[in-house]
Amino acid sequence: MPAHGVSNLFRNGTTDETKDGMDIDPEGELPHDEQVPAVVPQAPVTAPTTFSPRKSQGRRRSIPFALLGIMTIGTGLAAFFAVQESTTPSEKVASALTNSLRFKTAATTTSIEVKEPAGSTTLVSEGVINFDTTASRQVLRIGSGSASISEVIVSDGSKIYVHLGGGIIAKVAAGKSWVSIASGQSAATSVTGGGGASNDAAILRVLSATGNDVSDLGPSRVSGQVVHLYSVHLTRSQITRDIAREHLSQIVRQSIALVHIPAITYTLAINGANQLTRMTATLRLHADGQQIVESIAEGYSHYGTAVTVTAPPAREVIPFQTYLQIAQEKGKQAII
């Protein structure tokens, strides 16, 4: 969920791109004839023996059959790679993202840096998400200048609950430590990276859609893991179309209308298991006449992990609109 500045904390790595070659047998030598087992079973050897011409000939007859097997395997691999090469980058990305969503759950990490004329804000988080129900839990640390704040976000699929460290909510509404927000009122757009964990499934579906501009960037390494990189470019018209399809309140749509996003290019890292492991993007936004640069990196791992989400006690929760109203009446800033 978007966070332009510390007063709106719902804002919403370095990749070592070393090319990988194939592993080579460190020995690098073919075995000698005498090391190849004979085709005809031999009687147990009880004493040192010497090779007779007949035995040596029998051993050598096995070599063409071994080579034939290698050639057959090689032909099969060639056919496999030929099929792989005929698959377009767009189809490969769609296959990986669809496969990732099929696991239904995953562990996530997020790193966001927002640069504004007045300064910069950073956000790092760890959590888990259920792609189907959008249930999720995230623990965040948000910093701006010398100030920082901890935050916990829990979503049960219908509501999002936000806990702010330092008793910030209780300073506005005594006895309250959580603010609740209807999930349809908290997210911005699914393609700007601003939807938070609960919107990850929507982001991945948009990126796997037919007709996207996808490029193959080749093999690389991310956090020591061998991956294949692809870029997915979304135009302004695609972003506008995606926003139109979102179920958003009028106030959120009015906020989005103030932000101009010309285009977005995502870089996706796909591992050998055909799963998304990392997604990065840099957004250059124009809001209130100012240019904002937002760098996003999201990591995915432990697909299929258990996701158990429990809503906080009702007595500790205050609806966002009520929290906002009380803050305005007391002349205090409603941080969220």
Side-chain angles (χ1 to χ4, degrees):
M1 45 178 75
H4 302 296
V6 176
S7 61
N8 184 4
L9 299 182
F10 268 73
R11 171 66 62 115
N12 39 359
T14 301
T15 301
D16 177 11
E17 300 189 354
T18 303
K19 300 288 183 180
D20 296 306
M22 295 184 64
D23 292 335
I24 300 175
D25 183 1
E27 299 295 333
E29 296 180 359
L30 292 175
H32 193 271
D33 279 355
E34 281 73 13
Q35 294 175 310
V36 179
V39 175
V40 180
Q42 303 293 315
V45 178
T46 57
T49 61
T50 59
F51 287 102
S52 67
R54 185 174 182 179
K55 288 183 179 180
S56 181
Q57 183 180 4
R59 291 172 183 271
R60 290 192 178 93
R61 279 202 299 269
S62 70
I63 295 176
F65 291 98
L67 291 176
L68 179 61
I70 294 172
M71 291 172 64
T72 302
I73 293 172
T75 303
L77 289 174
F80 170 78
F81 286 116
V83 171
Q84 291 294 94
E85 288 300 321
S86 67
T87 305
T88 66
S90 179
E91 290 170 336
K92 290 179 180 178
V93 167
S95 171
L97 298 188
T98 300
N99 181 55
S100 299
L101 290 172
R102 190 177 293 123
F103 286 88
K104 300 185 183 300
T105 63
T108 63
T109 59
T110 303
S111 174
I112 299 176
E113 181 180 17
V114 182
K115 294 182 179 180
E116 305 176 73
S120 63
T121 300
T122 59
L123 178 153
V124 292
S125 73
E126 294 184 359
V128 291
I129 179 175
N130 185 310
F131 296 120
D132 285 350
T133 65
T134 69
S136 64
R137 179 179 176 84
Q138 283 186 308
V139 178
L140 305 88
R141 170 66 62 177
I142 304 170
S144 180
S146 60
S148 66
I149 185 173
S150 61
E151 184 172 334
V152 177
I153 301 177
V154 175
S155 172
D156 61 7
S158 60
K159 283 187 178 181
I160 295 176
Y161 302 90
V162 182
H163 172 82
L164 301 177
I168 292 177
I169 295 174
K171 293 176 182 178
V172 174
K176 306 297 182 181
S177 56
W178 294 82
V179 171
S180 66
I181 310 167
S183 59
Q185 296 179 348
S186 61
T189 95
S190 65
V191 298
T192 62
S198 63
N199 229 10
D200 279 16
I203 297 173
L204 301 192
R205 291 189 182 99
V206 168
L207 294 176
S208 64
T210 302
N212 287 342
D213 181 5
V214 182
S215 298
D216 187 332
L217 303 181
S220 182
R221 283 182 180 269
V222 172
S223 300
Q225 183 180 26
V226 177
V227 297
H228 204 99
L229 300 181
Y230 297 90
S231 67
V232 182
H233 181 75
L234 301 179
T235 64
R236 175 62 185 173
S237 61
Q238 288 174 294
I239 296 170
T240 302
R241 179 189 63 191
D242 183 70
I243 292 174
R245 292 176 177 176
E246 291 289 317
H247 299 289
L248 304 174
S249 65
Q250 185 60 30
I251 186 171
V252 172
R253 290 192 178 279
Q254 290 173 351
S255 299
I256 293 174
L258 300 176
V259 180
H260 177 72
I261 309 169
I264 305 173
T265 299
Y266 283 90
T267 299
L268 310 181
I270 309 299
N271 66 12
N274 201 32
Q275 298 169 337
L276 175 66
T277 62
R278 189 175 178 86
M279 176 173 65
T280 61
T282 299
L283 286 68
R284 301 184 185 280
L285 317 175
H286 297 279
D288 297 331
Q290 297 180 335
Q291 181 173 336
I292 301 171
V293 179
E294 182 173 326
S295 301
I296 303 170
E298 293 197 50
Y300 299 85
S301 63
H302 298 88
Y303 284 95
T305 189
V307 176
T308 303
V309 175
T310 303
R315 64 180 181 277
E316 299 178 13
V317 180
I318 182 172
F320 172 69
Q321 293 297 337
T322 304
Y323 170 73
L324 182 61
Q325 182 179 351
I326 295 175
Q328 291 175 339
E329 292 174 351
K330 293 183 176 181
K332 295 183 176 182
Q333 187 177 26
I335 299 177
I336 192 169

